Amino acid sequence: VRRKILRGQTSELYHQMVRVCGAYAVHYASKAISCRKAGHGSDLVTAGGSTLEALTAVHGSTTAQNLCELKCGQEGTDEKPLHFSLTGYVSKRCVETTRGTPNNKKDRFTLFINDRLVEST
């Protein structure tokens, strides 16, 4: 049954898998990631490099051009042992596309906490 689902052109499960692979491709930008259906072209390819290169490969150049980098952190001390760091990118609202065609008009917030994907729609 699962193979039949994955063979379909517009399989929702396959699109979800590509979204998750894309999120991990951005989080682990130095690693090369490819996702494709058997007998079809690749739907997602990242070559391994910078986070901005991975964001461009996954979300397109329009989204990547509208990004603002976030960096924040605080070193812990003996009196205040809490240490945290935050690194990320924010863009204005964009419509998610697949090969130039809008496929999802929902707002999406993707976050990794302790290297685990947390997604909010």
Side-chain angles (χ1 to χ4, degrees):
V1 171
R2 182 168 274 215
R3 285 184 181 167
K4 287 182 182 178
I5 291 171
L6 291 175
R7 284 184 191 147
Q9 286 286 15
T10 57
S11 166
E12 187 60 36
L13 180 60
Y14 179 72
H15 289 297
Q16 177 65 21
M17 288 172 23
V18 171
R19 280 198 302 269
V20 170
C21 286
Y24 276 95
V26 170
H27 186 66
Y28 296 104
S30 63
K31 309 294 184 220
I33 293 179
S34 176
C35 187
R36 69 180 180 94
K37 287 183 186 181
H40 293 38
S42 294
D43 290 319
L44 172 70
V45 176
T46 62
S50 72
T51 302
L52 283 175
E53 290 170 342
L55 283 164
T56 302
V58 173
H59 297 288
S61 61
T62 304
T63 301
Q65 290 171 352
N66 293 313
L67 291 175
C68 233
E69 186 174 14
L70 297 174
K71 281 190 179 184
C72 184
Q74 180 176 345
E75 292 291 326
T77 64
D78 291 336
E79 297 150 1
K80 296 181 181 181
L82 177 66
H83 170 80
F84 83 95
S85 66
L86 172 123
T87 305
Y89 292 89
V90 175
S91 74
K92 67 180 185 178
R93 184 176 184 212
C94 296
V95 176
E96 188 176 300
T97 63
T98 301
R99 297 188 180 177
T101 318
N103 69 346
N104 186 358
K105 294 185 180 180
K106 296 179 184 175
D107 290 329
R108 213 171 78 223
F109 180 72
T110 304
L111 177 68
F112 279 84
I113 299 174
N114 297 331
D115 291 333
R116 293 189 179 146
L117 177 62
V118 179
E119 227 175 284
S120 174
T121 54

